[in-house]
C-alpha cells in the first residue's frame, strides 16, 4: 500500500489499485439495517475471514459519531490484521480520525479536489457515478477509483438513480481506471457482469443479511474468480 499512498501519479495509483484490489474482487460494505442484529464488527470479521480485501464502512443515520468512531477503530484493527483496505463512506473527518485507507464520496458531497486537498495523497479516494457524463468527468480528477450504479434496480438505497444497465461497463472499460459495480447485484446475475468484463462488484443486503456471511462471501469470491 505504501507505494500507492506515496505516489502523486494518478495513473500509477490506479494501475496498482486495479491490479492488487479491484481485479475480480468482492467489495464489501457494512449495512447495519440489514445485518439481523449482528454488529458491524461481527459482520466485517466474517467478511475478512472469507478473503474479502476491500471493506467500506457505510452507515447513514446510524448511531452517534462517537459510536461510529469506536466501531471503526475496531474495524481498522481487523483490516490491518488481514491486510485489507478500509474505506469510509462520506465522512472525511471519521476517515482521518481512524487512519482509514481511503474515503468514498458521492456526487453531492464535497468536490473531489477539495477532499484531495484535505486528505492528501496518503488516502485513496473513490467517487460514485451513475451515468456516462459523470464517469467521463471523473477520469480527469484525482479519483483513484469509481463506483458505478445502480447497475440493476435496487431498494437498498432510497434515493438511487435509474439503473444503468450492464452496457455501462463496456463504456467504463474504455478508460484505464479501477471500478466497482453496485446496485441490485445478486448471485444469479454475476455472470452477466463478467461477460462485460466487470472488475470488482459490491453486493450489500444479500451479504450482510445472510445466515453465514463468511460462506456467502466465499461462494461469491469463488464464482468471481472462475471468470
Amino acid at each position: 500500500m505504501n507505494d500507492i499512498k506515496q505516489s502523486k501519479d494518478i495513473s500509477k495509483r490506479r494501475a496498482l489499485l486495479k491490479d492488487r484490489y479491484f481485479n475480480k474482487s468482492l467489495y464489501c460494505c457494512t449495512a447495519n439495517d440489514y445485518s439481523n442484529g449482528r454488529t458491524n464488527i461481527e459482520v466485517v470479521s466474517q467478511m475478512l475471514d472469507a478473503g474479502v480485501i476491500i471493506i467500506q464502512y457505510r452507515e447513514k443515520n446510524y448511531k452517534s459519531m462517537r459510536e461510529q468512531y469506536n466501531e471503526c477503530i475496531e474495524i481498522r484493527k481487523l483490516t490491518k490484521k488481514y491486510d485489507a483496505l478500509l474505506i469510509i463512506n462520506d465522512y472525511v473527518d471519521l476517515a482521518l480520525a481512524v487512519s482509514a485507507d481511503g474515503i468514498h464520496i458521492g456526487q453531492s458531497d464535497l468536490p473531489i479536489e477539495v477532499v484531495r486537498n484535505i486528505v492528501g495523497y496518503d488516502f485513496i479516494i473513490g467517487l460514485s457515478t451513475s451515468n456516462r457524463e459523470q464517469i467521463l468527468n471523473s477520469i480527469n480528477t484525482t479519483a483513484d477509483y469509481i463506483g458505478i450504479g445502480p447497475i440493476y434496480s435496487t431498494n437498498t438505497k432510497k434515493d438511487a438513480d435509474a439503473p444503468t444497465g450492464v452496457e455501462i461497463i463496456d463504456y467504463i472499460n474504455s478508460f484505464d481506471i479501477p471500478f466497482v459495480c453496485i446496485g441490485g447485484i445478486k448471485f444469479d446475475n454475476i455472470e452477466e457482469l463478467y461477460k462485460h468484463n466487470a472488475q470488482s462488484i459490491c453486493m450489500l443486503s444479500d451479504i450482510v443479511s445472510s445466515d453465514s456471511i463468511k460462506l456467502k462471501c466465499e461462494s461469491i469470491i469463488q464464482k468471481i474468480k472462475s471468470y
Side-chain angles (χ1 to χ4, degrees):
M1 269 306 298
N2 284 341
D3 53 346
I4 297 174
K5 292 182 175 183
Q6 291 170 359
S7 176
K8 293 185 179 181
D9 184 333
I10 294 300
S11 295
K12 178 182 177 181
R13 291 168 68 95
R14 290 174 178 176
L16 290 171
L17 275 172
K18 181 179 178 180
D19 181 59
R20 295 178 190 174
Y21 295 99
F22 284 80
N23 183 26
K24 293 186 178 180
S25 70
L26 178 60
Y27 184 122
C28 279
C29 295
T30 65
N32 189 259
D33 287 347
Y34 300 92
S35 61
N36 298 326
R38 290 168 291 198
T39 68
N40 283 324
I41 296 168
E42 293 175 285
V43 167
V44 169
S45 181
Q46 288 197 46
M47 290 172 173
L48 294 169
D49 276 345
V52 173
I53 56 175
I54 309 175
I55 300 291
Q56 183 186 128
Y57 183 82
R58 182 181 184 274
E59 297 298 339
K60 301 176 185 290
N61 305 315
Y62 165 69
K63 295 186 176 181
S64 69
M65 185 55 73
R66 175 64 66 89
E67 289 174 301
Q68 291 189 65
Y69 168 78
N70 289 337
E71 195 167 62
C72 283
I73 286 292
E74 295 306 312
I75 292 173
R76 170 79 284 199
K77 292 176 183 176
L78 287 171
T79 54
K80 281 188 174 182
K81 177 182 175 182
Y82 285 86
D83 198 23
L85 296 181
L86 173 60
I87 308 295
I88 304 294
N89 183 259
D90 288 348
Y91 302 122
V92 178
D93 53 350
L94 181 59
L96 287 166
V98 302
S99 300
D101 295 298
I103 178 79
H104 189 95
I105 58 175
Q107 294 291 320
S108 62
D109 293 320
L110 287 172
I112 185 169
E113 301 310 335
V114 173
V115 175
R116 179 63 76 191
N117 286 336
I118 294 170
V119 302
Y121 285 85
D122 281 347
F123 267 61
I124 295 162
I125 302 180
L127 178 64
S128 292
T129 62
S130 61
N131 56 54
R132 292 189 176 208
E133 180 181 3
Q134 291 175 359
I135 291 170
L136 182 59
N137 289 340
S138 72
I139 302 302
N140 298 317
T141 70
T142 60
D144 292 300
Y145 75 92
I146 58 175
I148 178 66
I151 303 296
Y152 304 103
S153 295
T154 177
N155 295 319
T156 303
K157 188 177 181 182
K158 305 306 179 186
D159 58 347
D161 292 301
T164 64
V166 293
E167 291 76 19
I168 198 74
I169 301 173
D170 300 325
Y171 180 71
I172 302 171
N173 275 316
S174 64
F175 304 101
D176 195 13
I177 188 169
F179 65 90
V180 54
C181 298
I182 190 170
I185 298 172
K186 309 290 183 183
F187 194 81
D188 293 339
N189 57 33
I190 291 175
E191 182 177 1
E192 184 178 25
L193 297 174
Y194 282 95
K195 283 182 179 178
H196 288 264
N197 296 313
Q199 291 181 26
S200 187
I201 64 169
C202 180
M203 297 166 63
L204 204 151
S205 58
D206 262 23
I207 289 177
V208 298
S209 64
S210 298
D211 291 337
S212 173
I213 293 171
K214 182 177 184 290
L215 290 178
K216 184 74 171 184
C217 289
E218 286 176 339
S219 65
I220 295 168
I221 291 170
Q222 183 178 22
K223 188 167 187 176
I224 290 171
K225 297 296 185 184
S226 71
Y227 298 117

